[in-house]
Amino acid sequence: MKVLMINRATVFTVPGGDTVQMVETAKAIRKHGINVDIRLANEEIDYEGYDLIHFFNIIRPNSISRHVKKSKLPFVISTIFVDYTEIDRKLGGVMLRTASQLLGSDWLEYLKVIGRSFLNGDKIIDNSYIFRGHKRSVEQLLNSASLLLPNSDNEFKRLSKRYRFKSEYLKVPNAVSEEFLETNPNNNKSGIVMVARIEALKNQLNLIEAMKGLNTTLKIVGKPAPNHMDYYQKCIEQAPSNVEFLGQLDRREVIAQLDAAKVHVLPSWFETTGLSTLEAAARNCNVVITRKGDTQEYFGDKARYCEPGDPESIKSALVKALEDKSELKDFIKEHYTWGKAAEKTIEGYQHVLKQKSGYNLHKNG
């Protein structure tokens, strides 16, 4: 079997959870003898020899539709359906808030795509997106996909509530790499760490407010997103002395920070999973995470939850998590490894190719 993975053009220059999910899934799938190539949505691609395409990010249909039409191959989508509605309406500028309230979420996403094409050079790859609009583009892909691969059942329910489609789905939970599951010798953990891009969605400003008056430290790991430099500057200006910005770190350095910290916090306005929270839990951190999104399906009663718009809620969850016993590592190892995610993904691939009557599967080599 030979699989082509395609993701947004900025997946490596502006990395996020989808970057980790794609790279680690590919790595784990290759261990099963399946050939996987990774390409960017803005590249010219020769589709010859591939059995199917695996796309990521349904909220970026412009990165998908052209390749669907040109390749004529069966395809699956890791939907990674993030809902920006609340943050746009609460934290956006006057124009953004007004547009969100008057036009709705899909129209706003459409305007963002147009804006990124002018401001960031994030080109519109399929011109039909301009005429079709965001919602119709998403629904067309959802209906023509051979299989959807959401990270949770709740993600699929949210997707079904927003859009009209009939495609099947197979849940493929997010996971942690083997490096995060290695033995952590440090039993003297203290303080708080947050690993995430610095941007309004991740909510560092309210976290910084929650840290005021707490007798512990917070280390923020990550770089600001390209369009959020003003937000980053506000974070720096408002941070008290117990908050430190460490910038972007490599994986080994991130693991070292997680090994030192008692608590990892991710008080985002929305998370499908919170990959950095899974990784922190694997390093035996207690975790504080947002209620918004699909996080409770992953962590159940093993996390402290907070309301992102309420700094006192964040502070209360942090105080409790600092006192909790750390016991998440075994839970993560049992349920959330990329090996398990790869097995579910391959199950999806095999299901799709089996359904294609008369389809000649390309052999390895």
Side-chain angles (χ1 to χ4, degrees), residues 119-355:
L119 298 175
N120 297 346
D122 196 351
K123 295 181 180 179
I124 294 175
I125 298 166
D126 184 356
N127 288 332
S128 67
Y129 176 83
I130 298 173
F131 307 105
R132 188 178 293 117
H134 189 80
K135 185 171 185 178
R136 286 179 59 201
S137 296
V138 169
E139 288 183 338
Q140 185 177 61
L141 290 171
L142 290 172
N143 279 297
S144 55
S146 301
L147 188 66
L148 303 176
L149 304 176
N151 294 139
S152 65
D153 292 319
N154 194 60
E155 180 185 343
F156 183 80
K157 290 176 185 176
R158 291 188 294 101
L159 201 58
S160 300
K161 188 175 181 180
R162 173 78 72 85
Y163 301 107
R164 297 175 63 182
F165 64 95
K166 296 181 179 180
S167 295
E168 295 181 291
Y169 86 101
L170 177 67
K171 180 175 78 170
V172 182
N174 257 320
V176 298
S177 67
E178 294 177 0
E179 294 163 278
F180 288 93
L181 294 172
E182 295 170 359
T183 302
N184 173 12
N186 185 12
N187 294 314
N188 188 28
K189 296 160 72 73
S190 64
I192 303 165
V193 67
M194 178 181 185
V195 182
R197 278 194 312 268
I198 299 175
E199 60 183 5
L201 176 67
K202 300 301 182 181
N203 200 32
Q204 282 92 351
L205 269 178
N206 276 346
L207 172 59
I208 286 168
E209 184 65 27
M211 285 300 300
K212 294 176 180 177
L214 281 185
N215 188 28
T216 190
T217 59
L218 166 67
K219 294 183 178 181
I220 296 177
V221 177
K223 64 180 181 180
N227 293 334
H228 291 261
M229 294 306 296
D230 288 345
Y231 184 84
Y232 175 51
Q233 190 59 41
K234 287 181 182 177
C235 289
I236 293 174
E237 291 171 358
Q238 296 188 24
S241 59
N242 60 344
V243 176
E244 182 180 2
F245 296 86
L246 301 184
Q248 189 78 12
L249 302 180
D250 64 31
R251 183 170 290 190
R252 276 291 155 194
E253 291 171 322
V254 168
I255 289 174
Q257 291 299 325
L258 295 176
D259 285 350
K262 180 69 181 289
V263 173
H264 180 272
V265 57
L266 194 65
S268 312
W269 287 96
F270 198 94
E271 290 289 345
T272 56
T273 307
L275 262 178
S276 63
T277 301
L278 281 180
E279 292 168 347
R283 302 308 294 175
N284 233 20
C285 293
N286 293 333
V287 296
V288 172
I289 194 166
T290 181
R291 292 186 184 278
K292 307 287 186 179
D294 312 315
T295 56
Q296 293 182 73
E297 185 171 327
Y298 277 80
F299 297 100
D301 62 358
K302 300 184 186 309
R304 294 286 182 179
Y305 297 96
C306 64
E307 293 295 333
D310 183 1
E312 286 302 318
S313 170
I314 300 170
K315 179 179 288 189
S316 175
L318 288 172
V319 169
K320 292 173 183 176
L322 285 165
E323 298 299 322
D324 289 339
K325 182 180 178 182
S326 300
E327 51 187 17
L328 276 167
K329 183 180 178 72
D330 291 339
F331 172 74
I332 299 299
K333 189 173 183 177
E334 181 180 354
H335 294 94
Y336 301 119
T337 66
W338 288 117
K340 288 182 170 63
E343 289 170 3
K344 295 297 290 184
T345 303
I346 293 168
E347 178 186 336
Y349 293 168
Q350 292 172 336
H351 171 77
V352 167
L353 295 178
K354 186 177 180 181
Q355 298 304 309

